[in-house]
Amino acid sequence: MSKRMTNILVPLISILLGLIVGAIVMSLSGFSPINGYIALWNGVFGDSYNLGETIRQITPYIFAGLAVAFAFRTGLFNIGVEGQLIVGWLAAAYVGYAFDLPKIIHIPLALLAAAVAGGLWAFVPGLLKAKLQVHEVIVTIMMNYIALHVVNASIATLSDGAEKTEKIHESASLRSPFLESITDYSRLHWGIIVAIIAVFVMWFLLEKTTRGFELKAVGFNQNASEYAGMNVGKNVILAMVISGIFAGLGGAMEALGTFGNISKLTGFTGIGFDGIAVALLGANQPFGVLLGAILFGSLKNGGLNMPNEAGIPMEIVSIVTALIIFFVASGYIIRVTLERLSKKKKEEK
């Protein structure tokens, strides 16, 4: 079996196993798996509104998945996507309401602010990794909590103690009356186009540029890269910053598209952490991340319909989603099993 075929089969089998075990969990809990999955399907594709909301949900997952995948491809494990996304959300929301500019300038400026905020938040763990060899997992986890509380304090300061910031100006909004009208006034916005462009940007950067080759080389073997004359420390920092830029742009989608502002957060959004599973499901490839985000966005939005239509509690829905993540994370076991079966078939021939 070719490596390409294995890469295709592993996520498909992971999803299938997750759905099967999820069906068993629903059955044991006294609910109908058939009704549950029909409700899930209807929650995604049942009508134009649900489809629009699903695509809207997919958008930040694409950016979170790209952020995690980029770090993986360059030998880093960015657990701080959640925090970088939150600070990007705040930066985009602030620029969106604090300035009154023409749309052609305002939207790019707000997106740039989110990218810079996310990149700067990722710069710290990148610098500590490059200069002091402090493991990025520890630093990024801690910076998630710092981001959460700093953002909440900033919201209170910027809004004079209110629970949320002002609404962004129309000139900074990614909302689209056209997209809303064709999806029965869902919150679908132009951010999905920005996300797809980001997929191509990551692919081009990693596969078609000298810098991308260096970043991957450093991630693969730092000693060999240093021997070849590459600046390992610089590339580690740059990889982390680029990962943070993708995460910050994910926050911008929420600020400029979905909500139009930012409210105080009682906890993490979960988008950044789900980005880890999205990246794993997509085998850390840009276009694979797009497919992984489609799956998770569909599960997230479609799952909201399962309690309403099939009477299945959200806890069970969360279990089904977690099972899929579990099997995706166990992809190595599935890969080894497929390779052994393939090898056994060849020996029999």
Side-chain angles (χ1 to χ4, degrees), residues 19-31:
L19 293 174
I20 291 171
V21 179
I24 294 171
V25 170
M26 281 189 272
S27 296
L28 293 175
S29 303
F31 302 100

Side-chain angles (χ1 to χ4, degrees), residues 89-99 158 165 168 262:
W89 187 346
L90 174 65
Y94 174 75
V95 171
Y97 79 80
F99 299 93
L158 293 171
T165 61
I168 62 171
I262 182 171

